[in-house]
């Protein structure tokens, strides 16, 4: 048990790049050990550095990823009807330096080498397998498989509810799917590389090099959405396609908040590539109020002649230390300028902040300071613009894809944020009256 804990601790420590991060981690682990022994260390790491959503008893179950990295090979089993798909997978595995062997006998599949099984018709004892379903799900229990590739997103709820599969194990692949007119993705290979990034087979830099030509942006309005979460996506599409948003199939990671950060890093990378002056990114649980179109046009006119870092349509959690720098009035709207904020529900990002977000370090697993909204909040010399009331809302009927919480959890947090902002605005006006 102690040996296992040591190896897990070392693996966590190795993910930190700076000596300061490692020192803080070790000191806190020692404190946890003296107060609670091995269990104390485990609880500390699990609660602070590893998401509660992570698969496995200690944190991320890296078994299949480690097998890929150590052996750099994979077996692919397919029936005669799916050999063409197997050959396509063989070719794309080769692009990330993994050799794929196509086998016809399931007896050749062993746990020591990871495997991809296409449409299995019987239960197989291969716990280190990826199962690829191109159509319907079988009736036998699927709990012993590690990852699931689906081409039909409507199967996701069935996997979760009937087979008790965790969301982190499920990825949409699009090898046999036509291009979606409402998506910015123009090449189905993107989804394979998205999986490879999500479980750590390739780093972000490699993912960017492989995929940035597979994304086509016709405008600067994007909605961040996971194709595996069709209820949220369909709800968004019914409300907001009229506003000119294109769908971006967000990146994944076994720690949901890291996947979220990777998505924003990638989108601002794209904005820089396309030389956008700014980029508008919303999330698919945003709520658009009546009059949104008219108000956002005024906002865009104001921003076009302003110096700012981010315009936030909803500040989910305003820091008690936030300050109002100035209030600008334009076309009858008061634009409140702050020095910080925390939210990613609906934001315009100015080009001046692109490189800051692109520099976000996904290997820093301290979510208290490195979740992407907290990271942005901590940046120096920010100019945050917002309005009261907030431009948009947050649909409470949905659940967070990052934290696994019902959105109702954020109701009081957003309410307090609004009240805090109202108090800051009142204080600002009072101070100006005194000075005048």
């Amino acid at each position: 048990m102690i040996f296992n804990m040591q190896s897990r601790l070392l693996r966590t420590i190795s993910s930190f790049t700076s000596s300061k991060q490692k020192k803080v981690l070790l000191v806190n682990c020692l404190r946890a050990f003296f107060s609670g022994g091995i269990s104390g260390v485990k609880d500390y790491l699990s609660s602070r550095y590893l998401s509660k959503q992570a698969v496995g008893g200690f944190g991320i179950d890296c078994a299949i990823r480690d097998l890929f990295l150590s052996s750099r090979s994979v077996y692919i089993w397919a029936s005669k009807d799916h050999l063409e798909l197997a050959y396509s997978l063989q070719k794309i595995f080769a692009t990330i330096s993994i050799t794929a062997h196509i086998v016809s006998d399931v007896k050749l599949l062993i746990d020591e080498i990871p495997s991809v099984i296409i449409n299995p018709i019987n239960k197989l004892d291969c716990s280190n397998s990826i199962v690829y379903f191109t159509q319907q799900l079988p009736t036998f229990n699927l709990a012993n498989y590690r990852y699931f590739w689906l081409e039909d997103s409507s199967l996701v709820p069935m996997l979760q509810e009937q087979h008790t599969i965790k969301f982190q194990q499920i990825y949409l692949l699009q090898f046999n799917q036509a291009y979606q007119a409402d998506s910015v993705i123009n090449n189905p290979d993107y989804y394979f590389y998205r999986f490879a990034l999500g479980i750590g087979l390739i780093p972000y830099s490699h993912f960017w090099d492989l995929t940035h030509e597979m994304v086509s942006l016709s405008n600067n309005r994007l909605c961040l959405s996971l194709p595996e979460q069709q209820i949220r996506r369909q709800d968004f599409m019914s409300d907001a396609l009229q506003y000119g948003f294109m769908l971006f199939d967000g990146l994944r990671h076994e720690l949901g908040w890291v996947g979220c950060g990777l998505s924003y890093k990638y989108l601002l990378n794209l904005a820089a590539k396309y030389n956008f002056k700014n980029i508008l990114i919303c999330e698919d649980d945003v709520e658009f109020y009546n009059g949104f179109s008219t108000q956002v046009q005024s906002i865009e006119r104001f921003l076009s002649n302003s110096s700012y870092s981010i315009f936030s349509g909803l500040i989910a959690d305003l820091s008690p230390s936030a300050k109002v720098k100035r209030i600008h009035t334009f076309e009858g709207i008061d634009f409140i300028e702050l020095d910080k904020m925390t939210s990613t529900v609906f934001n315009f990002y100015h080009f001046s902040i692109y490189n800051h977000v692109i520099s976000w370090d996904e290997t820093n697993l301290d979510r208290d300071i490195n979740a992407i909204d907290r990271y942005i909040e901590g940046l120096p010399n920010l100019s945050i613009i917002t309005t009261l009331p907030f431009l948009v809302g947050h649909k409470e009927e949905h659940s967070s894809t990052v934290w696994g919480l019902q959105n109702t959890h954020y109701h009081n947090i957003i309410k307090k944020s609004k009240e805090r902002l109202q108090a800051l605005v009142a204080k600002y006006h009072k101070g100006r009256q005194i000075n005048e």
Side-chain angles (χ1 to χ4, degrees), residues 288-342:
F288 294 100
Y289 297 141
N290 291 335
F292 169 81
S293 290
T294 301
Q295 194 167 6
V296 80
Q297 288 173 12
S298 294
I299 289 167
E300 288 183 301
R301 286 192 289 271
F302 172 77
L303 296 179
S304 66
N305 294 305
S306 301
S307 176
Y308 68 101
S309 306
I310 296 172
F311 172 87
S312 180
L314 172 67
I315 298 180
D317 186 13
L318 184 63
S319 170
S321 64
K323 294 180 175 61
V324 173
K325 291 178 159 183
R326 187 178 174 187
I327 296 178
H328 316 258
T329 301
F330 178 82
E331 296 185 5
I333 301 173
D334 284 344
F335 290 88
I336 306 160
E337 184 178 356
L338 302 162
D339 62 346
K340 64 181 66 177
M341 68 94 200
T342 301

Side-chain angles (χ1 to χ4, degrees), residues 206 222 286 320 326 352 364 428:
H206 193 184
L222 292 165
V286 64
R326 187 178 174 187
S352 60
N364 178 354
Y428 173 84

Side-chain angles (χ1 to χ4, degrees), residues 225-245:
S225 175
L226 296 181
E228 295 86 359
Q229 293 277 10
Q230 281 296 308
I231 294 177
R232 284 177 50 141
R233 171 167 289 196
Q234 292 302 322
D235 191 23
F236 173 83
M237 290 174 66
S238 66
D239 285 344
L241 284 181
Q242 59 182 310
Y243 302 129
F245 284 91

Side-chain angles (χ1 to χ4, degrees), residues 28 37 47 93 95 101 111 140 146 201 210 214 239 294 318 324 329 371 377 393:
N28 288 334
S47 63
F93 268 115
T95 64
H101 307 277
D111 278 347
F140 58 82
R146 181 62 184 90
L201 294 180
L210 287 166
M214 299 177 182
D239 285 344
T294 301
L318 184 63
V324 173
T329 301
E377 180 187 44

Side-chain angles (χ1 to χ4, degrees), residues 134-150:
T134 60
Q135 296 174 340
Q136 72 277 7
L137 296 177
T139 57
F140 58 82
N141 190 283
L142 300 172
N144 62 316
Y145 299 116
R146 181 62 184 90
Y147 290 107
F148 298 83
W149 290 348
L150 303 176

Side-chain angles (χ1 to χ4, degrees), residues 57-224:
F58 178 75
I60 304 173
D61 182 356
C62 300
I64 193 167
R65 182 188 66 185
D66 291 346
L67 280 171
F68 271 117
L69 293 175
S70 60
S71 66
R72 305 306 297 178
S73 64
V74 60
Y75 284 164
I76 301 176
W77 179 87
S79 66
K80 292 180 180 179
D81 294 337
H82 298 101
L83 282 179
E84 185 177 348
L85 177 56
Y87 287 123
S88 296
L89 287 171
Q90 185 181 49
K91 290 179 182 178
I92 200 168
F93 268 115
T95 64
I96 58 172
S97 303
I98 292 178
T99 303
H101 307 277
I102 298 174
V103 299
S104 57
D105 188 350
V106 293
K107 294 179 181 178
L108 295 174
L109 303 179
I110 56 176
D111 278 347
E112 284 72 20
I113 296 178
S115 57
V116 177
I117 305 170
I118 301 174
N119 291 326
I121 57 175
N122 297 305
K123 183 177 179 180
L124 301 173
D125 188 20
C126 300
S127 59
N128 289 325
S129 295
I130 301 167
V131 185
Y132 190 169
F133 293 110
T134 60
Q135 296 174 340
Q136 72 277 7
L137 296 177
T139 57
F140 58 82
N141 190 283
L142 300 172
N144 62 316
Y145 299 116
R146 181 62 184 90
Y147 290 107
F148 298 83
W149 290 348
L150 303 176
E151 291 191 350
D152 182 354
S153 59
S154 68
L155 299 178
V156 174
M158 190 182 303
L159 263 181
Q160 292 181 286
E161 295 164 12
Q162 297 182 16
H163 296 272
T164 63
I165 304 302
K166 293 184 173 72
F167 180 74
Q168 292 89 337
Q169 298 173 260
I170 306 169
Y171 282 80
L172 195 72
L173 259 67
Q174 301 268 304
F175 275 105
N176 292 321
Q177 299 295 310
Y179 171 71
Q180 297 178 352
D182 54 9
S183 172
V184 299
I185 310 302
N186 61 39
N187 189 320
D189 291 354
Y190 168 88
Y191 297 93
F192 173 84
Y193 295 127
R194 177 176 176 260
F195 168 79
L197 174 70
I199 71 166
L201 294 180
I202 57 175
Y204 173 82
S205 58
H206 193 184
F207 176 80
W208 169 260
D209 291 341
L210 287 166
T211 65
H212 70 89
E213 296 292 344
M214 299 177 182
V215 182
S216 302
L217 302 186
S218 59
N219 63 52
N220 71 334
R221 289 190 177 191
L222 292 165
C223 172
L224 176 58

Side-chain angles (χ1 to χ4, degrees), residues 24 35 82 86 104 209 225 247 269-270 272 285 305 318 327 379 383:
V24 170
S35 63
H82 298 101
S104 57
D209 291 341
S225 175
L247 291 174
N269 244 157
L270 288 170
D285 57 354
N305 294 305
L318 184 63
I327 296 178
L379 292 173
S383 174

